[in-house]
Amino acid sequence: MFLVGLTGGIASGKSSVIQVFQQLGCAVVDVDVIARQVVQPGYPAHRRIVEAFGTEVLLENGNINRKVLGDLIFNQPDRRHLLNTITHPEIRKEMMKETFKYFLRGYRYVILDIPLLFETKKLLKYMKHTVVVYCDRDTQLARLMRRNGLNREDAEARIKAQLPLKDKVRMAHHVLDNSGEWSLTKRQVVLLHGELERSLEYLPLRLGVLTGLAGIAGLLYLLTRYLLPSP
């Protein structure tokens, strides 16, 4: 099994592309969902956030107030770094758990939906392939204004706050161009899925694991023969 990192930009159509992959039966791990999950009450990160930032970051039901926490770390790199040191290890741990589940179920590859894949760069070394969902700037702007009910100035500000899609395209192994008709985008997704499914890049890891398991089974057998008395 190998990992495929998928990213895009605001209003580029990444969520719609992910839905097509899922309809095709692909394994998808959504990092945003995991990030929200690990800060829920009962998780270690929740307790550590309260210890570090105080109970003022809590809602009445005990959940983290994401807006209050965001305001606390806004323009404060030290506090943002502290939050990241609390949440990132837990996020990576849950990602590994989800990925391993898919490995055991025999999937050839797993898609990791990572919005800031190229911005943080921390997970890039684990990705065999990277995919960017792209659309041209005018299309992105029009879609964002229509979807969020924004004026042009506000929409442009949100787009400028992110790494430009054209920069992500230069760093990606694969590009899904979602600038035109959705049917064309969907066809690109189907073709990419076929290419990844035909790839034999999953074999080394799977063969290595199977070899290791066979070795362990052999060792257990020898120990059993040695420790148990003969009839």
Side-chain angles (χ1 to χ4, degrees):
M1 190 187 70
F2 56 91
L3 302 181
V4 178
L6 188 144
T7 191
I10 188 170
S12 69
K14 179 171 67 68
S15 297
S16 298
V17 165
I18 284 291
Q19 288 178 3
V20 177
F21 275 114
Q22 290 174 323
Q23 290 166 4
L24 292 169
C26 299
V28 177
V29 176
D30 189 327
V31 175
D32 271 351
V33 171
I34 291 176
R36 291 192 293 270
Q37 173 187 332
V38 299
V39 297
Q40 293 296 311
Y43 284 85
H46 180 277
R47 174 180 51 80
R48 293 184 59 198
I49 289 172
V50 176
E51 291 174 352
F53 297 94
T55 56
E56 62 265 28
V57 301
L58 293 179
L59 295 167
E60 290 184 3
N61 62 5
N63 290 333
I64 298 294
N65 189 323
R66 300 172 68 87
K67 183 182 185 307
V68 170
L69 184 59
D71 291 341
L72 283 175
I73 66 173
F74 186 71
N75 286 335
Q76 296 191 58
D78 290 345
R79 305 197 82 178
R80 188 182 306 114
H81 176 71
L82 174 59
L83 179 62
N84 290 340
T85 60
I86 293 172
T87 58
H88 286 184
E90 297 300 321
I91 292 171
R92 286 194 292 269
K93 188 187 305 180
E94 291 301 319
M95 284 173 54
M96 290 177 62
K97 287 181 183 178
E98 291 296 315
T99 301
F100 188 63
K101 289 178 184 177
Y102 286 124
F103 172 80
L104 293 178
R105 292 167 61 184
Y107 282 86
R108 294 192 174 193
Y109 72 93
V110 173
I111 295 174
L112 296 180
D113 179 359
I114 309 175
L116 299 179
L117 177 64
F118 292 115
E119 286 85 344
T120 61
K121 295 183 171 61
K122 291 183 178 180
L123 295 174
L124 275 174
K125 62 183 177 181
Y126 303 109
M127 303 300 143
K128 194 70 175 179
H129 296 263
T130 54
V131 182
V132 165
V133 180
Y134 168 83
C135 67
D136 62 74
R137 177 63 177 267
D138 289 342
T139 301
Q140 184 182 21
L141 182 62
R143 286 176 179 168
L144 181 57
M145 291 170 63
R146 183 171 61 252
R147 188 189 74 184
N148 290 30
L150 300 174
N151 60 40
R152 187 180 187 87
E153 183 180 357
D154 289 341
E156 287 182 338
R158 294 198 181 191
I159 292 174
K160 288 179 181 177
Q162 298 185 337
L163 184 67
L165 278 171
K166 64 180 188 326
D167 292 345
K168 295 183 180 183
V169 164
R170 287 196 289 267
M171 294 184 279
H173 297 115
H174 309 275
V175 178
L176 299 173
D177 191 341
N178 190 34
S179 301
E181 295 292 329
W182 173 242
S183 59
L184 298 177
T185 303
K186 188 172 182 179
R187 176 171 172 76
Q188 294 175 62
V189 177
V190 172
L191 290 174
L192 178 57
H193 169 60
E195 178 183 338
L196 295 173
E197 275 288 292
R198 289 190 299 272
S199 170
L200 298 179
E201 292 169 311
Y202 74 97
L203 281 176
L205 176 60
R206 192 163 293 278
L207 290 175
V209 171
L210 291 175
T211 301
L213 291 175
I216 293 172
L219 179 60
L220 290 174
Y221 173 76
L222 291 175
L223 287 173
T224 302
R225 289 287 303 273
Y226 177 77
L227 294 175
L228 295 179
S230 300

